[in-house]
């Protein structure tokens, strides 16, 4: 059934919010779990539930995500062959815009978290790359498989892609950027990204 | 298809007879796909880790650009070529029109009705209705699992069908999955075609029916033959299918909106998500 193919883009950032780590969990799984536990605690914090402190709460979650996502890697892979042509300033700008887009979308979705259970299915490590596999059980009794692709930088495993039911975030954005860049200029793409941040709710 | 809905038989037959299809078939080269190779090899060899294949699409492109790479990246070139190139879309202008139409259809008709329906009928019931419809098309799953040589899966789906129809009260309760933990084998004819080597060929977005490809459209028509609702009388069909559609929409409110919000180009986002999703379904 194709019914869930839209779901990947929907919950593209739903980090693992739950418990249930297998006893054999390795470093990547542990680190991802740390981040998501942190986010969960921020969301659950009664002090921060006050609407006046909503901004602070959001910033807190963002800082936590920043520690786990490798934005530059994400940006580089999403721009693919167009990345090399960019000046260092353009790259920096793009990373920020992309991060803005993803983080905002993530923050909006994470507010909807309502206790979905999550099962850690294990991980596979190959050198400095690993995949952490997870299954999210929704309230509608469906299971969503999610893969986190992480790479090791220093002692940290950072996320550089998320695949939900086989739909990779990086690939999806790469298709979009590619489609836009084939028909118009890089400046157009940057403009679109900027416009998006203006029209979307903060 | 994205959102399943019935189409008149005559449209289905027109699709089969359409001359363009035979031309497309000439283009398509049938050869065992990685999926069938992996599946049948896995009986004897170690199965290749599927995640690696999808990862390669990004690492491969990253390796192509002249910038110095940090960590050493694998040069294994699995089947990511297709994913990297994306699905061919020669009818993009037409597809975009369909996309706009579907967009309006959703916001102006499907969603309002679903919201009203959702307010009246609780989620448990709507999930039961979904189970019911999913159970009805068990023959599609059984036959297509068998066509791919997944006989254990075909057996599982058969067992699940019988259990759900009896213990699960005509399919409203998926006891097969919940109580007996029977593994699912979710296959359809489009996946079968893909399993045996047929590429999507090109992307199609149908009004009302949603995202598809040439391969999956042929698959859809094939599935209809095994779907007993196809043989219902017109009046009953005209009630059942829309109801099933609205029920499904009511369970998925918010998904399409989120896709639009996250995307720079929603049309491409949807097309690519569809392509990746179907590719993954074939591989598993």
């Amino acid at each position: 059934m194709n019914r869930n193919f839209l779901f990947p883009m929907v919950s593209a950032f739903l980090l693992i919010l739950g418990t249930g780590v297998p006893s054999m969990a390795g470093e990547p799984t542990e680190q991802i779990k740390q981040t998501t536990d942190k986010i969960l605690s921020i969301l659950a914090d009664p002090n921060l539930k006050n609407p006046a402190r909503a901004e602070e709460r959001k910033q807190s979650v963002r800082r936590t995500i920043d520690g786990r996502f490798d934005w530059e890697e994400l940006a580089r892979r999403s721009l693919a062959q167009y990345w090399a042509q960019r000046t260092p300033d353009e790259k920096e700008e793009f990373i920020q815009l992309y991060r803005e887009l993803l983080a905002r979308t993530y923050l909006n979705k994470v507010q909807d978290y309502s206790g979905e259970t999550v099962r850690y299915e294990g991980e596979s490590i190959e050198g400095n790359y690993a995949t952490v596999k997870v299954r999210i059980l929704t309230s509608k009794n469906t299971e969503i498989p999610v893969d986190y692709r992480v790479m090791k930088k220093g002692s940290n495993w950072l996320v550089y892609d998320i695949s939900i039911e086989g739909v990779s975030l990086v690939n999806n954005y790469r298709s979009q950027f590619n489609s836009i860049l084939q028909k118009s200029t890089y400046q157009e793409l940057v403009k679109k990204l900027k416009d998006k941040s203006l029209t979307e709710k903060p | 298809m994205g959102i399943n809905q019935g189409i008149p038989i005559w449209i289905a037959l027109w699709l089969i007879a359409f001359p363009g299809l035979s031309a497309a078939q000439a283009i398509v080269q049938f050869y065992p796909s990685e999926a069938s190779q992996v599946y049948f090899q896995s009986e004897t060899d170690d199965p290749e880790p599927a995640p690696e294949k999808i990862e390669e699409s990004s690492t491969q492109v990253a390796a192509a650009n002249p910038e110095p790479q940090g960590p050493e990246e694998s040069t294994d070139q699995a089947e990511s070529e297709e994913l990297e190139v994306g699905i061919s879309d020669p009818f993009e202008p037409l597809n975009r029109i369909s996309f706009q139409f579907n967009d309006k259809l959703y916001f102006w008709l499907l969603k309002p009705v679903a919201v009203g329906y959702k307010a009246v009928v609780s989620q448990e019931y709507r999930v039961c209705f979904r189970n019911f419809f999913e159970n009805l098309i068990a023959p599609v799953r059984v036959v297509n699992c068998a066509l791919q040589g997944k006989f254990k899966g075909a057996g599982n789906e058969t067992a699940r069908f019988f259990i759900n129809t009896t213990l699960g009260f005509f399919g409203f309760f998926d006891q097969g999955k919940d109580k007996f933990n029977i593994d699912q084998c979710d296959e359809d004819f489009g996946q079968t075609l893909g399993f045996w080597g047929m590429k999507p060929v090109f992307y199609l977005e149908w009004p009302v029916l949603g995202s598809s490809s040439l391969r999956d459209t042929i698959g859809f028509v094939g599935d209809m033959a095994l779907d007993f609702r196809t043989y219902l009388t017109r009046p009953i069909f005209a009630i059942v299918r829309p109801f099933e559609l609205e029920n499904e929409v009511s369970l998925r409110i918010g998904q399409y909106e989120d896709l639009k919000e996250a995307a720079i180009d929603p049309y491409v986002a949807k097309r690519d998500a569809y392509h990746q999703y179907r590719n993954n379904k074939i591989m598993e």
Side-chain angles (χ1 to χ4, degrees):
Chain A
M1 264 234 196
N2 305 321
R3 58 182 149 90
N4 276 322
F5 90 88
L6 283 181
F7 196 85
M9 282 322 299
V10 163
S11 44
F13 311 94
L14 194 61
L15 281 184
I16 305 165
L17 296 172
T19 56
V21 183
S23 52
M24 293 293 291
E27 224 181 31
T29 307
E30 276 307 321
Q31 291 194 0
I32 290 202
K33 185 164 190 305
Q34 262 173 32
T35 303
T36 52
D37 284 351
K38 181 101 186 18
I39 295 177
L40 195 59
S41 69
I42 296 171
L43 292 179
D45 185 351
N47 297 332
L48 290 172
K49 283 210 162 112
N50 181 352
R53 298 182 72 181
E55 188 55 36
E56 187 187 330
R57 189 181 185 214
K58 237 184 290 197
Q59 289 309 323
S60 204
V61 175
R62 285 194 74 149
R63 272 199 304 276
T64 316
I65 309 172
D66 280 344
R68 191 53 59 203
F69 277 77
D70 189 342
W71 298 115
E72 182 179 334
E73 196 64 28
L74 269 156
R76 189 169 71 89
R77 286 165 187 265
S78 300
L79 262 191
Q81 70 265 34
Y82 300 99
W83 177 261
Q85 302 151 12
R86 307 273 72 82
T87 68
D89 281 342
E90 280 177 333
K91 283 180 186 170
E92 193 50 46
E93 184 191 30
F94 183 79
I95 295 171
Q96 290 313 317
L97 283 170
Y98 194 36
R99 168 176 169 252
E100 209 25 65
L101 171 69
L102 298 185
R104 199 177 48 241
T105 311
Y106 170 81
L107 277 165
N108 286 335
K109 281 313 293 171
V110 100
Q111 320 277 15
D112 298 343
Y113 170 66
S114 53
E116 280 88 350
T117 24
V118 170
R119 244 187 11 240
Y120 285 70
E121 302 268 293
E123 62 186 27
S124 62
I125 305 182
E126 275 178 41
N128 286 331
Y129 290 90
T131 305
V132 179
K133 287 176 179 300
V134 152
R135 273 188 186 263
I136 301 178
L137 184 66
T138 69
S139 64
K140 297 165 189 136
N141 209 27
T142 52
E143 270 188 19
I144 319 282
V146 178
D147 285 356
Y148 289 78
R149 304 255 155 68
V150 290
M151 63 194 274
K152 194 157 186 180
K153 286 199 168 161
S155 61
N156 273 326
W157 288 92
L158 302 179
V159 177
Y160 68 84
D161 196 7
I162 303 179
S163 269
I164 303 178
E165 297 207 76
V167 180
S168 139
L169 182 80
V170 164
N171 285 346
N172 193 271
Y173 276 105
R174 189 167 67 223
S175 305
Q176 295 180 52
F177 295 153
N178 194 49
S179 169
I180 294 170
L181 289 169
Q182 274 180 352
K183 296 174 198 152
S184 64
T185 65
Y186 176 74
Q187 279 65 36
E188 250 319 295
L189 173 62
V190 173
K191 183 168 181 303
K192 280 193 179 7
L193 281 167
K194 285 185 175 155
D195 287 346
K196 194 130 180 87
S197 71
L198 288 173
T199 54
E200 293 302 335
K201 26 190 183 11
Chain B
M1 298 289 189
I3 301 174
N4 263 326
Q5 191 181 8
I7 53 176
I9 289 287
W10 66 264
I11 291 185
L13 291 173
W14 174 83
L15 280 173
I16 295 169
F18 184 56
L21 278 183
S22 37
Q25 278 163 11
I27 299 167
V28 164
Q29 290 157 12
F30 279 77
Y31 58 93
S33 72
E34 328 292 335
S36 50
Q37 282 172 346
V38 167
Y39 179 75
F40 289 112
Q41 263 173 23
S42 64
E43 319 273 84
T44 49
D45 307 335
D46 294 335
E48 295 170 51
E52 200 184 303
K53 296 184 185 236
I54 300 180
E55 203 219 299
E56 287 320 310
S57 62
S58 31
T59 56
Q60 177 189 330
V61 171
N65 81 45
E67 259 194 23
Q69 300 299 306
E72 183 86 339
E73 287 179 345
S74 160
T75 54
D76 192 29
Q77 304 288 323
E79 53 83 43
S80 55
E81 305 272 328
E82 190 182 323
L83 279 179
E84 196 194 310
V85 167
I87 190 170
S88 161
D89 194 5
F91 298 107
E92 185 168 333
L94 285 175
N95 286 332
R96 281 194 183 259
I97 295 173
S98 284
F99 177 82
Q100 288 303 325
F101 173 82
N102 285 331
D103 185 82
K104 294 291 177 288
L105 179 72
Y106 175 76
F107 286 110
W108 291 352
L109 179 63
L110 298 182
K111 185 177 176 184
V113 172
V115 167
Y117 169 60
K118 184 176 172 178
V120 174
V121 180
S122 79
Q123 188 171 285
E124 290 140 325
Y125 285 98
R126 290 182 282 120
V127 171
C128 282
F129 287 130
R130 175 196 259 178
N131 289 338
F132 172 75
F133 289 116
E134 201 171 302
N135 195 47
L136 283 186
I137 55 166
V140 173
R141 291 193 290 276
V142 171
V143 168
N144 284 293
C145 285
L147 286 175
Q148 296 178 33
K150 297 172 181 169
F151 297 111
K152 186 153 190 287
N156 283 342
E157 285 293 334
T158 310
R160 196 171 146 232
F161 174 69
F162 281 112
I163 290 173
N164 288 346
T165 309
T166 53
L167 290 178
F169 191 66
F170 296 111
F172 283 103
F173 299 95
D174 194 347
Q175 303 286 41
K177 184 177 87 177
D178 298 336
K179 269 219 172 65
F180 295 86
N181 283 318
I182 298 177
D183 287 337
Q184 296 176 57
C185 184
D186 190 11
E187 301 291 338
D188 55 54
F189 193 49
Q191 288 179 63
T192 301
L193 290 171
F195 183 84
W196 289 112
M198 183 173 178
K199 302 283 181 203
V201 187
F202 52 77
Y203 179 70
L204 285 171
E205 174 135 6
W206 295 104
V208 183
L209 298 173
S211 290
S212 184
S213 59
L214 177 65
R215 176 187 65 203
D216 292 337
T217 300
I218 299 172
F220 177 72
V221 172
D223 287 341
M224 281 178 69
L226 288 167
D227 183 349
F228 95 101
R229 289 166 302 187
T230 310
Y231 307 104
L232 288 175
T233 62
R234 292 303 296 274
I236 302 179
F237 187 89
I239 298 170
V240 168
R241 283 303 233 161
F243 171 70
E244 184 194 352
L245 173 64
E246 285 296 346
N247 190 63
E248 197 54 37
V249 172
S250 78
L251 287 165
R252 294 202 250 162
I253 291 176
Q255 287 185 11
Y256 178 62
E257 292 85 331
D258 287 338
L259 175 134
K260 286 188 80 177
E261 190 185 309
I264 304 290
D265 183 343
Y267 169 81
V268 177
K270 186 176 171 200
R271 177 182 78 193
D272 177 79
Y274 178 79
H275 178 52
Q276 288 196 63
Y277 176 79
R278 289 297 288 176
N279 217 57
N280 186 62
K281 289 291 288 183
I282 290 166
M283 290 299 293
E284 67 181 16

